[in-house]
Amino acid sequence: VHNGGLYKRPFNEAFEETPMLVAVLTYVGYGVLTLFGYLRDFMRQWKIEKCQNATEREEQKDFVPLYQDFENFYNRNLYTRIRDSWNRPICSVPGAKVDMMERVSHDYNWTFTYTGRVIKDIINMGSYNYLGFAQKAGTCQEAAAKVLSQYGAGVCSTRQEMGNLDKHEELEKLVARFLGVESAMAYGMGLELKGVICLAVKHNLFNIFLFPFLIQGCLILSDELNHASLVLGARLSGATIRIFKHNNMQSLEKLLKDAIVHGQPRTRRPWKKILILVEGIYSMEGSIVRLPEVIALKKKYKSYLYLDEAHSIGALGPSGRGVVEYFGLSPEDVDVMMGTFTKSFGAAGGYIGGKKELIDYLRTYSHSAVYATSLSPPVVEQIITSMKCIMGEDGTTVG
């Protein structure tokens, strides 16, 4: 089934299902730990067991608590029991293998003591370093070191004051060419960009961190498995939000039809803009967005599309240009393209790509462009070198 026949090529995804026995035993384990947690909290309250967690002083009782009740309970009684497996300090470059500092606990993971010993060559299975560019040797490292000696470690100013280097201009032109869009803008932090949820025709936009316009009369249709930063950006926008089932085009089309037929609540006026919000590769599930069908619905109902390619850019498509290239589509069909440099490019920051009119507006008015310190020159060079390698413009066939 191709969700209404909007995309004729077969598109099948297979995911390993959790065995029923494993699922049941996991929930039973959580239930047992929860019961014992309440018992131990009772014993701590009556001083039968020593309480080792941080407690508020009496004069702080009227403050808003730092943790929700159950979150605090979970940290004390469940997470602490396995904390030695997480947050391990790494003392090497996070490549395919890493070195870790050895630590021990003598109080059941409440505190840790470092032994001074280093455990070498641990296989790294939790990194975003998809293409291996975050390494301590090679072309990227040499180029970044050269730029570090020429420009220094930081700019210490915003792009609109004294922090706009020729390297920043070069990066943005390269990103625009890489994506196949009219213009692009680089930011120092990828999370900021996930909330730049732009409604782009008449410069109406709303976002998290960048420019918190409160747009009345606009609607966001968001995939139920979108990343938390997209969800937060949508909530802070002030727009109405409706959720469609993950990668389900019938669910999305029904919401689009209802939005157009019924209009805004109470007034029944037409929505000023309708924005579809999706990810290229959904970071927690690993599924790929049904982009051809989303674009077909977007065109059919004259809405707008925001695509978050944090995990797909550089790692998907015949030449690494993301999910748009993977499906053989035109970048012009996506109104706002967002991605980060923290994954495939082994650096930091992120970008927004789209029409020149939109990017010029963001360049002038977005808070992160006006107030945030611009990208560090060695980081910029890391991105430029790795991107040129992917594009095959470094004179080698490595990319």
Side-chain angles (χ1 to χ4, degrees):
V1 178
H2 301 299
N3 280 344
L6 297 173
Y7 186 56
K8 302 299 183 184
R9 286 169 54 191
F11 180 62
N12 301 315
E13 289 187 305
F15 297 94
E16 183 180 357
E17 294 292 335
T18 304
M20 181 59 70
L21 178 62
V22 174
V24 170
L25 290 177
T26 301
Y27 283 114
V28 169
Y30 271 113
V32 171
L33 284 173
T34 302
L35 289 175
F36 272 93
Y38 282 115
L39 176 62
R40 296 183 72 180
D41 275 356
F42 175 79
M43 295 171 65
R44 290 170 187 144
Q45 186 177 0
W46 289 93
K47 310 298 183 184
I48 301 173
E49 181 180 331
K50 182 180 179 182
C51 181
Q52 301 196 61
N53 61 294
T55 55
E56 293 179 333
R57 292 174 294 179
E58 194 62 38
E59 58 267 26
Q60 293 176 317
K61 294 293 184 183
D62 294 333
F63 283 78
V64 177
L66 291 175
Y67 296 99
Q68 300 291 336
D69 285 343
F70 184 77
E71 185 181 2
N72 204 349
F73 172 84
Y74 178 88
N75 282 328
R76 285 196 310 272
N77 298 298
L78 281 78
Y79 175 67
T80 302
R81 299 172 69 95
I82 58 170
R83 196 155 69 102
D84 56 325
S85 299
W86 312 103
N87 313 125
R88 301 292 295 271
I90 297 171
C91 54
S92 70
V93 173
K97 294 183 178 180
V98 296
D99 298 340
M100 285 186 173
M101 297 175 64
E102 186 182 62
R103 62 182 185 180
V104 295
S105 177
H106 303 289
D107 53 5
Y108 303 101
N109 297 340
W110 286 101
T111 61
F112 292 98
T113 303
Y114 295 104
T115 63
R117 179 172 167 261
V118 174
I119 307 172
K120 293 186 174 293
D121 294 332
I122 304 296
I123 297 175
N124 182 1
M125 300 183 69
S127 175
Y128 292 144
N129 185 20
Y130 297 146
L131 303 182
F133 283 119
Q135 55 190 3
K136 60 182 179 183
T139 308
C140 291
Q141 184 268 342
E142 293 168 2
K146 184 178 179 181
V147 168
L148 176 62
S149 63
Q150 181 181 355
Y151 289 88
V155 181
C156 303
S157 184
T158 67
R159 291 287 299 277
Q160 292 196 3
E161 293 175 304
M162 296 177 64
N164 190 35
L165 304 178
D166 57 342
K167 285 292 177 184
H168 295 125
E169 303 277 349
E170 179 186 351
L171 171 63
E172 290 176 344
K173 290 177 182 176
L174 183 65
V175 170
R177 189 155 53 86
F178 182 66
L179 298 175
V181 296
E182 288 183 8
S183 185
M185 184 176 178
Y187 288 85
M189 183 178 175
L191 177 64
E192 296 169 344
L193 297 178
K194 292 193 180 185
V196 189
I197 305 168
C198 302
L199 301 180
V201 170
K202 292 185 178 178
H203 292 152
N204 289 328
L205 61 131
F206 43 92
N207 53 53
I208 168 180
F209 300 132
L210 285 170
F211 200 56
F213 266 118
L214 297 181
I215 293 187
Q216 303 300 321
C218 293
L219 173 67
I220 294 176
L221 302 180
S222 177
D223 191 291
E224 65 179 350
L225 297 184
N226 276 338
H227 189 269
S229 54
L230 285 171
V231 175
L232 179 60
R235 287 176 178 172
L236 293 180
S237 69
T240 302
I241 305 168
R242 290 175 186 162
I243 309 299
F244 62 90
K245 294 178 182 178
H246 176 56
N247 253 351
N248 189 310
M249 297 303 108
Q250 285 87 359
S251 175
L252 174 58
E253 186 167 19
K254 183 179 184 301
L255 289 179
L256 284 166
K257 284 181 178 178
D258 290 346
I260 291 171
V261 170
H262 299 295
Q264 300 181 39
R266 294 192 298 275
T267 64
R268 299 303 176 192
R269 292 177 181 173
W271 295 100
K272 293 180 181 178
K273 294 179 179 66
I274 299 175
L275 178 72
I276 302 170
L277 190 59
V278 295
E279 290 190 61
I281 294 180
Y282 290 86
S283 54
M284 300 308 294
E285 289 72 29
S287 56
I288 301 173
V289 66
R290 292 179 170 272
L291 190 61
E293 297 157 85
V294 174
I295 288 176
L297 289 175
K298 168 214 157 185
K299 290 180 177 179
K300 182 178 179 180
Y301 295 98
K302 294 181 173 57
S303 52
Y304 300 89
L305 177 59
Y306 181 102
L307 175 63
D308 176 356
E309 288 210 87
H311 292 269
S312 53
I313 193 67
L316 200 63
S319 58
R321 284 171 167 81
V323 70
V324 176
E325 185 188 48
Y326 176 77
F327 285 109
L329 304 170
S330 171
E332 294 180 357
D333 292 332
V334 181
D335 298 289
V336 185
M337 299 177 72
M338 171 264 161
T340 68
F341 300 127
T342 59
K343 276 75 174 181
S344 295
F345 305 100
Y351 65 83
I352 284 285
K355 297 287 186 184
K356 187 177 185 301
E357 186 182 18
L358 167 68
I359 302 304
D360 288 345
Y361 188 77
L362 287 174
R363 208 183 297 279
T364 306
Y365 292 104
S366 66
H367 282 186
S368 290
V370 179
Y371 299 112
T373 303
S374 53
L375 274 167
S376 171
V379 174
V380 173
E381 187 62 23
Q382 164 77 20
I383 302 165
I384 291 173
T385 308
S386 57
M387 190 174 291
K388 284 184 175 179
C389 181
I390 294 171
M391 297 169 72
E393 297 183 2
D394 61 339
T396 71
T397 59
V398 174

